[in-house]
């Protein structure tokens, strides 16, 4: 919906490969700064060095730190293009293992309810939050990291892990549980029926069914 697009600031990277590069150059940013940002790539050829956008033909998800500042981006391919998800590389302001997606928005709800729902990726996080479960964050990787766990511990020591039910998700769940228990968390697992990830489950079965299983 328009409301969800606005709340999560979801955007789109056009396919020409020059839109962002051109705009940032017009804004006065130097080529080396654009490369450091991770948003622009370079290639050397017969005509010298050419710069172009990292993200092309992708839905764009801004990634914010816990204070709400945008530090990176994730891009979801349209159609069957690979890789399906492409993220910003690590930069001077972005270390993937230190960031939990949506924590800046979910933080107050996590503290109030004294537990967090942990999902894998952007779409699951947005789907669950849009269903009214505001205390949801995503690790945006295969499994939780030690730094992410410590970051989460500032808000709560209780977590419901709701990763995808495929083999990779199950392995990530086990690794995350080990880490959470080592850090003194009370951890539970929500395994959704039908082999569905959280976002797909909510779209097919509805918000009420998800909330009932979460409870």
């Amino acid at each position: 919906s328009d409301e969800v697009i606005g709340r999560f600031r979801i955007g789109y990277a056009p396919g020409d490969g020059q839109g962002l590069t051109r705009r940032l150059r017009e804004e006065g940013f130097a080529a080396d700064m654009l490369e450091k940002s991770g948003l622009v790539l370079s290639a050397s050829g017969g005509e010298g060095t050419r710069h172009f956008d990292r993200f092309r033909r992708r839905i764009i998800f801004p990634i914010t730190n816990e204070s709400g500042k945008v530090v990176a981006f994730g891009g979801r391919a349209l159609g069957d293009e690979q890789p399906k998800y492409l993220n910003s590389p690590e930069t001077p302001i972005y270390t993937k293992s230190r960031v939990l997606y949506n924590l800046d928005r979910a933080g107050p709800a996590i503290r109030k309810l004294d537990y967090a729902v942990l999902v894998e990726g952007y779409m699951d996080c947005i789907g669950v939050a849009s269903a009214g479960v505001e205390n949801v964050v995503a690790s945006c990787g295969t499994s939780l990291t030690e730094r992410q766990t410590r970051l989460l511990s500032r808000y709560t020591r209780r977590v419901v892990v709701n990763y995808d039910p495929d083999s990779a998700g199950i392995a990530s769940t086990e690794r995350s549980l080990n880490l959470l228990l080592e850090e003194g968390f009370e951890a539970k697992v929500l395994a959704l029926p039908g082999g569905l990830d959280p976002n797909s489950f909510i779209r097919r079965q509805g918000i009420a069914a998800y909330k009932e299983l979460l409870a």
Side-chain angles (χ1 to χ4, degrees):
S1 66
D2 288 345
E3 186 272 327
V4 171
I5 289 169
R7 179 163 36 133
F8 290 93
R9 294 185 279 181
I10 299 169
Y12 176 70
D16 66 3
Q18 288 292 319
L20 182 62
T21 299
R22 194 181 308 115
R23 175 64 183 269
L24 292 175
R25 294 296 280 274
E26 289 171 358
E27 295 285 338
F29 289 98
D32 63 331
M33 182 64 73
L34 298 185
E35 289 185 49
K36 280 183 181 177
S37 74
L39 297 173
V40 172
L41 301 173
S42 65
S44 298
E47 300 178 0
T49 302
R50 185 173 65 90
H51 292 90
F52 54 94
D53 301 348
R54 173 181 293 274
F55 297 105
R56 301 180 294 279
R57 285 195 73 240
R58 289 177 180 270
I59 305 295
I60 299 296
F61 304 92
I63 300 170
T64 54
N65 60 19
E66 65 269 30
S67 61
K69 292 183 178 179
V70 176
V71 293
F73 296 88
R76 167 69 157 85
L78 293 175
D80 298 322
E81 289 188 32
Q82 295 297 322
K84 183 177 178 180
Y85 282 97
L86 178 67
N87 295 324
S88 290
E90 298 208 338
T91 68
I93 63 167
Y94 175 59
T95 303
K96 184 177 180 181
S97 63
R98 294 180 178 176
V99 174
L100 282 167
Y101 181 72
N102 197 48
L103 183 59
D104 60 311
R105 287 178 287 260
I110 292 172
R111 284 197 169 108
K112 181 179 178 181
L113 299 169
D114 192 25
Y115 82 98
V117 179
L118 178 66
V119 297
E120 279 187 57
Y122 316 113
M123 291 302 299
D124 286 332
C125 191
I126 291 169
V128 172
S130 301
V133 180
E134 299 289 346
N135 55 323
V136 59
V137 294
S139 52
C140 289
T142 51
S143 57
L144 198 66
T145 68
E146 189 174 332
R147 286 174 172 174
Q148 288 171 328
T149 306
R150 288 175 181 168
L151 179 61
L152 193 56
S153 71
R154 299 179 194 169
Y155 297 80
T156 185
R157 289 277 180 177
R158 300 170 65 219
V159 176
V160 175
V161 181
N162 187 197
Y163 281 170
D164 295 359
D166 57 19
S167 56
I170 292 168
S172 296
T173 299
E174 291 179 358
R175 286 195 297 271
S176 298
L177 286 174
N178 287 334
L179 195 55
L180 289 165
L181 293 173
E182 285 174 8
E183 292 291 327
F185 277 75
E186 176 190 320
K188 297 181 179 181
V189 176
L190 172 54
L192 297 172
L196 297 173
D197 60 53
N199 186 49
S200 299
F201 181 88
I202 289 168
R203 290 171 70 90
R204 294 186 190 183
Q205 304 295 332
I207 295 168
Y210 181 81
K211 286 184 174 179
E212 184 179 345
L213 289 171
L214 178 62

